[in-house]
């Protein structure tokens, strides 16, 4: 049997099980394999090497058949290399390639310069409707107009700053947006639409942490839909007032974090009072980094039991000490611990509720 006679399903299976770095060779083997190998090769474009990304975009622009294969496109520089400001020629090629990706679902653009949101400005020639968009770009007119064109967007992360002259999102924009991760000023923009967020994460900084207590009451507009609220770097002196406001405005949350837990009474009892109003809370993430000594094993178990008394619906309590996280879960008889480094544990919880 010649390769030309191979059934299509056989070619599909061969391409499916071929290792990623072997796909270019498979493309050149024969025409029977070319389509399926190219489809897998271009389905996800993710390389921290900007030269590889540039060449992939060149191929997509020059060969019309390749663009529809792309489902996920990541533009970033490898963190292990020095991150340089990329030339305009690079971004122009990205813009041209995007106009060919009519089946794109996920787009990630990490621009250290925060200066190239214009690649998304040609909305009449953008053929795709994303489900996930993650940008390290400034929130400006280009981002706003692009997002207004994305009616199927479900999840978004935007980590750039807010330009002073950026326009407001139009009413009715982002009707399916469920999860947002970004700065407080951008979250305020989303609340003005309004939207129907279920999962919200806001990293605070020195410029925005003073605005937290003014922002929380605005979450009332999301009280029917919001189920996860993750606020990073809550100032310790604001933790009690913050959780009191949150329990009043959003009592139906399933996940809440990351609240600095006061070490002493009466401040800790004020946290308990706030938890009494949260009858649906399942996951509570607490920061105890500033405790001295740091609570470990037995003390963490005691604190978990204490919190469960005031909020019996809790299933998981997460204690954060620096980059370490300890998850306490109830197995029906007693509380057990699981330790993990990094953000993965938190990501699973606040996005999963």
């Amino acid at each position: 049997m010649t390769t030309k006679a191979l059934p299509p399903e056989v070619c599909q299976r061969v391409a499916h099980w071929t290792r990623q770095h072997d796909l270019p060779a498979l493309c050149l083997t024969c025409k029977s394999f070319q389509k399926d190998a190219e489809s897998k090769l271009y389905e996800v474009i993710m390389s921290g090497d900007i030269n590889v990304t540039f060449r992939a975009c060149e191929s997509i622009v020059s060969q019309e058949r390749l663009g529809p294969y792309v489902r996920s496109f990541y533009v970033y520089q490898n963190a292990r290399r020095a991150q340089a400001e990329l030339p305009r020629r690079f971004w122009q090629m990205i813009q041209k390639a995007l106009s060919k990706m009519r089946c794109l679902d996920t787009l990630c653009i990490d621009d250290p310069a925060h200066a190239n949101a214009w690649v998304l400005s040609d909305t009449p020639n953008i053929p795709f409707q994303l489900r996930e968009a993650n940008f390290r770009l400034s929130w400006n007119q280009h981002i706003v107009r692009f997002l207004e064109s994305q009616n199927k967007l479900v999840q978004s992360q935007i980590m750039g700053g807010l330009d002073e002259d950026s326009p407001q999102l139009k009413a009715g924009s982002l009707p399916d947006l469920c999860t947002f991760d970004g700065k407080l000023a951008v979250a305020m923009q989303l609340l003005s639409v309004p939207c129907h967020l279920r999962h919200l994460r806001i990293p605070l900084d020195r410029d925005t942490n003073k605005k937290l207590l003014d922002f929380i009451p605005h979450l009332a507009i999301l009280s029917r839909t919001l189920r996860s609220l993750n606020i990073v770097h809550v100032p310790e002196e604001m933790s009690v007032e913050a959780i009191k406001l949150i329990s009043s405005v959003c009592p139906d949350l399933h996940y809440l974090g990351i609240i600095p837990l006061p070490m002493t009474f009466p401040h800790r009892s004020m946290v308990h009072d706030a938890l009494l109003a949260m009858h649906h809370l399942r996951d509570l993430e607490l920061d105890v980094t500033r405790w001295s000594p740091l609570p470990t094993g037995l003390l963490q178990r005691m604190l978990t039991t204490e919190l469960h008394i005031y909020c019996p619906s809790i299933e998981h309590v997460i204690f954060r000490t620096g980059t370490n996280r300890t998850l306490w879960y109830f197995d029906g008889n007693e509380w057990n611990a699981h330790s993990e480094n990094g953000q993965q544990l938190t990501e699973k919880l606040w996005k999963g509720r």
Side-chain angles (χ1 to χ4, degrees):
M1 179 183 290
T2 66
T3 55
K4 290 183 179 180
L6 285 174
E9 58 270 20
V10 173
C11 295
Q12 291 172 5
R13 295 296 291 174
V14 170
H16 176 77
W17 291 107
T18 300
R19 292 174 295 184
Q20 190 73 19
H21 66 269
D22 290 329
L23 285 171
L26 186 62
C27 291
L28 300 174
T29 302
C30 67
K31 288 187 177 181
S32 298
F33 287 123
Q34 183 179 10
K35 180 179 178 181
D36 293 309
E38 284 183 342
S39 176
K40 185 181 177 185
L41 181 62
Y42 284 92
E43 183 179 12
V44 178
I45 299 177
M46 179 190 293
S47 174
D49 187 332
I50 62 169
N51 295 314
V52 173
T53 302
F54 186 83
R55 290 197 299 271
C57 289
E58 277 187 318
S59 297
I60 289 167
V61 170
S62 63
Q63 302 179 60
E64 289 289 334
R65 70 180 186 278
L66 300 178
Y69 294 150
V70 184
R71 296 302 183 96
S72 300
F73 185 32
Y74 298 82
V75 182
Y76 69 101
Q77 297 182 68
N78 196 316
R80 289 175 293 182
R81 302 181 182 181
Q83 294 196 348
E85 186 172 344
L86 299 174
R88 186 173 181 83
R89 176 171 167 263
F90 174 84
W91 293 107
Q92 288 172 334
M93 183 57 70
I94 296 295
Q95 186 180 49
K96 291 177 182 178
L98 287 173
S99 70
K100 308 294 182 180
M101 302 177 185
R102 65 171 182 263
C103 298
L104 194 65
D105 288 324
T106 300
L107 176 60
C108 174
I109 299 178
D110 185 351
D111 175 21
H114 295 189
N116 294 287
W118 58 267
V119 300
L120 302 171
S121 63
D122 192 14
T123 51
N125 292 316
I126 289 179
F128 51 77
Q129 287 287 317
L130 298 176
R131 289 183 57 81
E132 181 176 351
N134 301 320
F135 302 138
R136 184 148 68 121
L137 296 166
S138 294
W139 178 276
N140 56 26
Q141 60 177 337
H142 302 306
I143 290 288
V144 171
R145 296 298 171 241
F146 171 77
L147 291 176
E148 288 173 347
S149 72
Q150 297 298 303
N151 297 322
K152 296 182 180 179
L153 194 65
V154 174
Q155 179 174 324
S156 180
Q157 180 188 63
I158 300 177
M159 284 303 174
L162 182 72
D163 284 6
E164 293 182 359
D165 59 349
S166 60
Q168 290 279 342
L169 282 165
K170 293 178 181 178
S173 301
L174 303 172
D176 292 339
L177 188 64
C178 178
T179 303
F180 179 74
D181 182 353
K183 295 192 175 180
L184 187 145
V186 177
M188 281 295 297
Q189 287 261 352
L190 293 176
L191 295 182
S192 69
V193 173
C195 55
H196 307 285
L197 289 175
R198 288 183 60 85
H199 315 289
L200 177 61
R201 179 180 183 271
I202 300 173
L204 299 177
D205 53 38
R206 291 181 180 179
D207 295 328
T208 57
N209 58 22
K210 296 178 181 178
K211 301 176 183 178
L212 175 62
L213 299 182
D214 294 328
F215 167 77
I216 292 173
H218 292 282
L219 294 175
I221 198 170
L222 299 176
S223 60
R224 292 185 178 183
T225 61
L226 192 65
R227 292 297 173 263
S228 301
L229 179 61
N230 182 274
I231 305 176
V232 186
H233 306 309
V234 175
E236 190 171 12
E237 63 273 15
M238 291 185 184
S239 64
V240 172
E241 286 302 315
I243 195 170
K244 286 168 62 177
L245 281 171
I246 291 168
S247 67
S248 174
V249 173
C250 301
D252 295 328
L253 288 176
H254 291 179
Y255 167 93
L256 175 60
I258 305 169
I259 305 297
L261 182 66
M263 184 174 178
T264 59
F265 289 90
H267 296 98
R268 199 156 88 232
S269 63
M270 295 179 185
V271 172
H272 297 159
D273 291 342
L275 291 176
L276 287 170
M278 306 187 77
H279 304 296
H280 303 283
L281 191 65
R282 300 176 189 174
D283 308 317
L284 178 62
E285 185 166 2
L286 302 165
D287 190 342
V288 291
T289 301
R290 295 199 175 187
W291 281 43
S292 181
L294 289 175
T296 55
L298 182 59
L299 182 52
Q300 286 191 9
R301 187 192 298 270
M302 293 171 60
L303 290 170
T304 301
T305 304
E306 176 184 284
L307 293 163
H308 188 253
I309 292 172
Y310 294 93
C311 189
S313 61
I314 285 182
E315 299 172 1
H316 304 106
V317 177
I318 306 96
F319 291 101
R320 172 176 172 169
T321 54
T323 59
N324 296 319
R325 287 161 176 77
T326 303
L327 168 71
W328 287 86
Y329 61 95
F330 193 65
D331 65 2
N333 295 310
E334 61 181 1
W335 289 96
N336 297 286
H338 169 73
S339 297
E340 192 170 306
N341 292 329
Q343 296 284 346
Q344 291 185 355
L345 185 61
T346 300
E347 293 291 317
K348 294 174 186 176
L349 290 174
W350 82 268
K351 288 184 178 179
R353 289 303 186 185

